[in-house]
Amino acid sequence: MPENGQVEPIPPVKDLASSEPSVRRACLKTIISHLTERAASSPLTSTQCLQLWRGLYVALYMHDSKNALSVQQLAAELAATVKLMAAKDEEATSSGEDDENSNGNSKSNSNNSPSWLDTWATAFWETICREWTTIDQWRMNKVLMLVRFFLRETFNVCFTAIANDTDSTNSKDLVLRQKQILETWPLSPRERKVPDGLRLHVLDVWVDELLGQLDVVRQSGTVDDDDNAVAASLQQVAQDFMTPVETISRQALSKGVKMRAKDAIQLFQEKTSS
């Protein structure tokens, strides 16, 4: 545990670039263990998240592309960090509320801490945007898979939060912040740092992943079939996540991106009206 005012360090990431698969796996295991065991009151900084995602991206880049199942497992493991970060935020919030109660409702410093998930997600999209032009044709499918899985986990975390506590300000804020990150990065209409290729891929998978995770949460047992309020809230979240798509369909600089966004809107309407 770092002393007051000091940032807790992260494990070295250089071994994620090793040519030896066993060395990369060992390094990845160390990093995941560190993230799991790190105190919720010691969130990662933006710089640390960027360092980690750079290393994790390289690990995926170096992974044997011929082993499709292994690539899928690695991409899923990296994307699963979304749930880990969301759990850290929930733990930090709970700890802050406990501190407030024990201190006679005085304001807790925990509530002022940066969001684990927000910082992590922003660093992910920034990393993908930065590396996009360097991805060759043999490795592009791996990155596309990671993007899809990351988006899937993001939607799942948001729907799950709403299903568990529909009226919670925290769950609503979570959805709002994640939507804002997606609007700022992969579905930003005019941000030059975001490649159109990434925009097109995200739009291609957006509706399938959004409605897919809506169904997953509905069928998870968390939602009572007779609870119309929760069902309506989940549907509203799905509708809210279409707002960035609607915006980019009007404001994108690329005609191709506009058309792809309109296709996504039409697909969403068809699937939700049936």
Side-chain angles (χ1 to χ4, degrees), residues 221-248:
T222 305
V223 182
D224 191 328
D225 292 338
D226 297 327
D227 196 334
N228 294 329
V230 174
S233 295
L234 290 173
Q235 188 62 43
Q236 184 59 53
V237 169
Q239 188 66 56
D240 289 344
F241 270 118
M242 289 303 296
T243 303
V245 182
E246 294 167 356
T247 300
I248 203 171

Side-chain angles (χ1 to χ4, degrees), residues 187-204:
L187 289 190
S188 168
R190 297 173 180 270
E191 174 55 64
R192 296 289 186 178
K193 293 180 181 178
V194 181
D196 276 344
L198 176 59
R199 288 189 177 99
L200 291 170
H201 174 61
V202 168
L203 288 168
D204 279 342

